[in-house]
Amino acid sequence: MGCNTMNIHILNRGMLFLGLTLLISLVAIAQPGSTANLIDEAISFAEDGAYDNALSMIEPHLENEAKHDARAWYVAGYSHKGRYKDSAFLNASTSKKANTERSIAVIQLMTAYELDKNSAFPGGISEMVEEALDYLAKTYMNDAVKGVHGFQMGMDGEVMTYFRAFVKIKNVISPDDDWVREEVELEKNLAKANRILLESIDLNNATSLQNQEALFEKVVSHYLRAIELDGRDYTARYNLAINLYNRGVSELKSIDHTTSMFELMEIQDICVLLFQEALDPMLAAHNMERNRMETLKGLMTIYRALSQNEESEKYKSLLEEAIK
Amino acid sequence: MHKVEIGNRPLNNSVWVFLAGIAIVAGLGLAWIQGDQGGPKLDSADTIAITKASFLFQFARSNDWPQETKEGNFKIGIHGNRILFDFLVEKYSSQSIGSQMLEMVWYEDAEMTEFTHILYTESEGDDLADLIKSTGNQPVMVVTSVNGALQMPKGAVMNFLIQSSKIRYELDMDNAVLRGLIVGNRILSWAVTR
């Protein structure tokens, strides 16, 4: 264990040494006081972990004489990445300071990447920039995953922001890769996270009722987005149908001795609407996988709730066949 | 020549976070798949029974019965739907109608063996006729659930039917009056006609 850690440590040092030595060799012919010399000095600071000094040296020149210098942007981005890592280690990767450092690092590294690609001698520092950007992309994905696992009400936007930042970087460094499948899974997981919160809500509280409605809308919207992204996703359709149906049942179960006749009629209208909304995605899921017992049971149940007994019996027979 | 000290930074501040990131992203696919494992489970509650039970409670609460029936418990008899009976017991058995405690009575056979203020049945044809006959002219609100027939079953006071996938009820006012029942305004106003 200790030996492995030491090896990784040495490897890490070696890679950084090679990268920065290359950078230094590129500016070795620099004249004192020139942009190249400034970059050289900034590198020295960055190497020492003195990111603040490196940035105060290089950043004032990024909008002027170093505007088109890929190496200058790389050193700046690298330094912000270093500050992000420090901040993430001390606080959290999603703290305001860490987030700001990471965002700036990404912008500067992407600029370096573009400048390097379009320079007279492209590819000089691309590999180093890609490595740095890839690292930052993974931290964004890491935060998206952590956001889902520790989900709290209203975190949907934040989680999606991290994921989009991940995709944005990946689209630059690996333009041929496709991240739609991951986005579909993220949407489904966000739907699930909202549903779990919804199920834990205390129904005897007025504020909770408002939250309940908001959470349910989120569940539905995440599944709809997953379906929009991938028209062949079975589980998104099935889960959407179940959530809509269960919501209707939950409304019915809320009826008690305090419910008036008017409210009873109103609740029944809402329920039937939800059951009808559940039917389309359940039928679509069934058409994708016609022998899945869960969809056959779902259709049997939804049709029965809609008092369409002939249809309900039809799926009951199919379910019995499937069980045999 | 520069001294490359940058690599001397503590391992947990760079490589550690980097490796953790890789590990989490590499395991991401599995994590998402696992996420779908805990999908929602279909609520198998009988929605028709819940709705009918809610209506029966409204019928009990919003209609009126002759004075001689206002002693003892207020009874709702159920024939032919055990789930509905169980749900009524679970949800409403602790409630009262006026000063009378609510009591559910289960009828195994198509015969009203003891007086109930409301008698709900899912029988049709001869069974239904026998059951209605067993109520005589007593102030019993017979509630049926015959959807396919052209008209309300003879002798029933209320009948559940389906309109646009919703459960509604029709009312035979003459029969209600004949049995000495006073139908409440709310119940009257929500009754449908074919």
Side-chain angles (χ1 to χ4, degrees), chain A residues 209-224:
Chain A
L209 283 173
Q210 285 178 345
N211 290 346
Q212 203 187 28
E213 197 55 45
L215 286 166
F216 178 68
E217 281 173 17
K218 285 286 178 194
V219 172
V220 172
S221 67
H222 284 301
Y223 279 129
L224 287 175

Side-chain angles (χ1 to χ4, degrees), chain A residues 207-320:
Chain A
T207 314
S208 295
L209 283 173
Q210 285 178 345
N211 290 346
Q212 203 187 28
E213 197 55 45
L215 286 166
F216 178 68
E217 281 173 17
K218 285 286 178 194
V219 172
V220 172
S221 67
H222 284 301
Y223 279 129
L224 287 175
R225 175 69 182 144
I227 293 167
E228 189 185 337
L229 287 165
D230 180 4
R232 297 296 307 161
D233 193 283
Y234 168 86
T235 51
R237 283 184 162 77
Y238 175 77
N239 288 349
L240 172 63
I242 294 293
N243 275 287
L244 287 164
Y245 177 79
N246 284 355
R247 179 73 177 163
V249 178
S250 167
E251 291 278 352
L252 268 184
K253 284 179 172 174
S254 72
I255 297 171
D256 62 14
H257 64 282
T258 64
T259 307
S260 69
M261 191 68 179
F262 175 77
E263 286 167 336
L264 168 58
M265 292 298 190
E266 202 175 46
I267 290 170
Q268 211 192 153
D269 288 352
I270 293 166
C271 290
V272 167
L273 201 63
L274 284 163
F275 297 156
Q276 283 167 339
E277 283 178 17
L279 200 52
D280 273 352
M282 190 62 89
L283 279 169
H286 171 64
N287 287 333
M288 285 175 186
E289 297 186 35
R290 300 186 75 85
N291 291 321
R292 287 280 285 256
M293 286 194 278
E294 60 193 10
T295 40
L296 292 172
K297 188 182 174 191
L299 287 168
M300 178 188 86
T301 309
I302 296 170
Y303 276 120
R304 174 160 160 69
L306 288 168
S307 301
Q308 295 181 30
N309 293 335
E310 271 184 35
E311 284 297 308
S312 178
E313 286 300 316
K314 184 177 106 184
Y315 287 102
K316 188 180 175 186
S317 301
L318 288 170
L319 179 62
E320 284 165 355

